[in-house]
């Protein structure tokens, strides 16, 4: 497995652990719809949280969250819609980004309501 995949998996596991420690129930990890994927789907206080995890070994080229493009946001919205339909859920939905930097001072930043679906 490529090193960047190992880094990504480590960041996703750290993000899931972080969410659980903060009262979230992890419903799915790496949930796929067609060729799209949601890193973490969780629930807290009757809110469905679709979380994109971005992991980097440093923030030299920018904070990890800055790499969540508009296209990625659109893909996450499509994935969330498919999940809600498939599971027949009636919950408020929120899109979060969890930014993980793995270096000497590993950090996790949870950005709630990172973006909103376009109407």
């Amino acid at each position: 497995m490529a090193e960047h995949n190992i880094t990504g998996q480590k960041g996703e596991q750290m993000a899931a652990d972080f969410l659980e420690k903060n009262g979230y129930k992890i419903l799915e990890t790496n949930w796929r719809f067609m060729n799209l994927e949601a890193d973490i789907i969780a629930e807290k206080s009757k809110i469905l949280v679709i979380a994109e995890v971005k992991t980097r070994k440093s923030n030299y080229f920018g904070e990890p969250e800055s790499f969540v493009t508009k296209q990625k946001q659109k893909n996450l919205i499509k994935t969330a819609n498919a999940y809600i339909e498939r599971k027949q859920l009636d919950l408020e939905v929120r899109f979060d980004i969890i930014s993980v930097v793995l270096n000497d001072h590993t950090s996790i930043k949870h950005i709630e309501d990172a973006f909103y679906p376009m109407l």
Side-chain angles (χ1 to χ4, degrees), residues 8 11-13 15-16 39-40 51-55 96-100:
E12 287 176 9
Q13 184 60 57
D39 292 332
I40 299 174
E52 173 67 8
V53 180
K54 284 295 181 188
T55 307
D96 293 1
I97 297 174
I98 301 175
S99 172
V100 181

Side-chain angles (χ1 to χ4, degrees), residues 18-19 24 39-40 42 44 47-54 65 68 73 76 93-99 109-116:
F18 174 86
L19 289 174
Y24 290 80
D39 292 332
I40 299 174
K44 183 177 181 182
I47 297 174
L48 186 69
V49 176
I50 311 298
E52 173 67 8
V53 180
K54 284 295 181 188
E65 65 269 17
V68 179
Q73 292 173 19
L76 284 170
V93 180
R94 189 178 81 206
F95 294 91
D96 293 1
I97 297 174
I98 301 175
S99 172
K109 185 186 333 178
H110 182 192
I111 304 162
E112 296 181 4
D113 286 318
F115 62 91
Y116 300 94

Side-chain angles (χ1 to χ4, degrees), residues 14 54-59 62-65 99-109:
M14 290 175 69
K54 284 295 181 188
T55 307
R56 298 288 186 267
K57 289 189 173 184
S58 80
N59 56 4
E63 296 300 323
E65 65 269 17
S99 172
V100 181
V101 177
L102 300 174
N103 57 23
D104 293 339
H105 306 288
T106 296
S107 66
I108 297 176
K109 185 186 333 178

Side-chain angles (χ1 to χ4, degrees), residues 33-38 50 52 54 65-80 95 97 115-118:
F33 168 67
M34 297 173 28
N35 63 330
L36 307 175
E37 180 183 66
I50 311 298
E52 173 67 8
K54 284 295 181 188
E65 65 269 17
S66 68
F67 294 93
V68 179
T69 64
K70 292 288 183 195
Q71 185 60 52
K72 181 62 180 178
Q73 292 173 19
K74 289 178 185 179
N75 291 344
L76 284 170
I77 293 163
K78 285 181 189 176
T79 305
F95 294 91
I97 297 174
F115 62 91
Y116 300 94
M118 301 300 149

